[in-house]
Amino acid sequence: MELTKEEEALLNGGRGEAAAKLMRLLVVLGELYEADRMLKVSSVHVSGVSYQNLGDAGLSLLEDLASKGAKVRRNVRVTLNPAGMDLEGWRLMGVSAGFAERQLRVYEAFKQMGLREGLTCTPYEAGNLPAFGEHVAWAESSALAYANSVLGARTNRESGITALASAITGRTPNYGLHLEENRRPTLLVKVEAEVKSEVELGALGYLTGLSYGEAIPYYQGVRVKSLEGFKALSSAAASSGAIALYHVEGQTPEAERFKENLRGLERFKVERDDLKKAFEKFPLDVGFDLVFLGCPHLSLEKLVWVAERIGGRRVKGELWLCTSRAVYQRALELGLTEAFKRAGALLLRDTCLVVAPLRELGFKKVLTDSFKAAHYLSGSLEASLASTSQCVRAALEGRVKP
Ligand code: F3S
């Protein structure tokens, strides 16, 4: 791989030992994938922020990098993925002091390196919004699928450490989805059912990911009516499989280029019965002791919608709503946080249930409107799925109606 003089200097320790180590990691990765050069990146999203996932080994790696002077490259917009708790309201979640102490150390190490913004899986709603065609390095599967597909930015499926390396060096190797020829669809998905809601878009993404985990799907016959719908589709497809880019005919920015060139692609037909089967994996009859909304993190519009649905009543069970710091701040200004408090619901920032210390929290059955959350949570507890309005109604009534 060809490196510029500046990149050679970086590799040889010109910006310190930590930056050199991280540059070496990117060079090795680039060589592995036969990249011809490095690309400059203007936007990075770093995952691996929850102590629940990092453990002590991850914490000491971050503290080591911070103590060796790793610093975010100037002119790179950087955001962090959610942590294992609301950094301020962790006591309300029932998180132990021991976990909180370690999680705060993780955040402190990131801060020392210049990463302090975000703590969300929707960085595009928190000021990190790449333009069409921009080369970026994003981790967090749901966010990077959204960035590639809906924004038309270009990123590979980065890990926490490779994204951090890009934040510090301002570079990413030129391979995979950065290259024009690798962005064409590899699968034609013919949707032969009316997809009526955001959670059904999640079902569509979930089915695609399950059956064709590595594909670049081209969806025909579906209309995504909201950004929340794209969030549901992106997050579900990226969790049951490893889908990092998809196209929706007539909607996503690169779809038009491929419209006339779909002959010969493998086909996947999705009918109403298939969507129903996806829901059957997370049945409602198991009940719930927590309703969780906000995977991916809720937008302000969706929070307003939920508050209107609650309409001044009190919830009977536990209702947790997760959002970004940026949206939380707007919600505070609009009086929404107060309204949720009065309703007995918990509005959290910086975190989500999936990356929180589940065992400490003690929940056994969770009802959610997110296929991604249900998919991951079902590894450690019982998860069931319903539409957002069914979820809100269930929280108000203490039981879920099919
Ligand atoms: Fe975000 Fe957590 Fe879901 S990080 S996409 S809310 S699993």
Side-chain angles (χ1 to χ4, degrees), residues 194-207 224-226 228-237 272 274-276 278-279 282 284 292-293 295-296 302 305 367-374 384-391:
E194 191 193 345
V195 180
K196 295 179 193 144
S197 59
E198 286 149 13
V199 71
E200 287 192 357
L201 283 163
L204 178 61
Y206 186 77
L207 287 171
V224 184
K225 295 191 188 114
S226 64
E228 294 296 319
F230 278 115
K231 285 159 71 175
L233 180 61
S234 306
S235 59
R272 178 127 293 271
D274 302 312
L275 295 177
K276 256 173 79 187
F279 282 92
F282 307 104
L284 289 175
F292 165 49
L293 302 177
C295 173
K302 197 67 184 274
W305 186 90
L367 173 67
T368 180
D369 63 346
S370 160
F371 267 87
K372 174 172 177 177
S384 49
L385 257 169
S387 69
T388 320
S389 49
Q390 275 176 303
C391 286

Side-chain angles (χ1 to χ4, degrees), residues 82 121 140 142 294-296 352 354 372:
C121 45
E140 168 48 44
S142 70
C295 173
C352 83
V354 177
K372 174 172 177 177

Side-chain angles (χ1 to χ4, degrees), residues 145 149 157 177 182-189 207-219 237-238 241-247 265-266 268:
S149 314
R157 210 177 143 99
L177 293 177
N182 294 335
R183 298 181 68 84
R184 61 181 72 251
T186 59
L187 175 74
L188 177 60
V189 185
L207 287 171
T208 319
L210 263 190
S211 312
Y212 297 92
E214 302 284 326
I216 300 179
Y218 182 99
Y219 289 102
I243 290 174
L245 166 65
Y246 61 84
H247 306 286
L265 288 186
E266 187 166 358
F268 178 42

Side-chain angles (χ1 to χ4, degrees), residues 54-83:
L54 285 167
D56 286 330
L59 169 60
S60 59
L61 172 71
L62 291 172
E63 288 183 333
D64 184 52
L65 288 169
S67 73
K68 289 189 171 127
K71 282 270 181 269
V72 166
R73 190 78 192 219
R74 257 188 304 145
N75 303 326
V76 181
R77 297 187 302 281
V78 184
T79 38
L80 289 172
N81 222 31

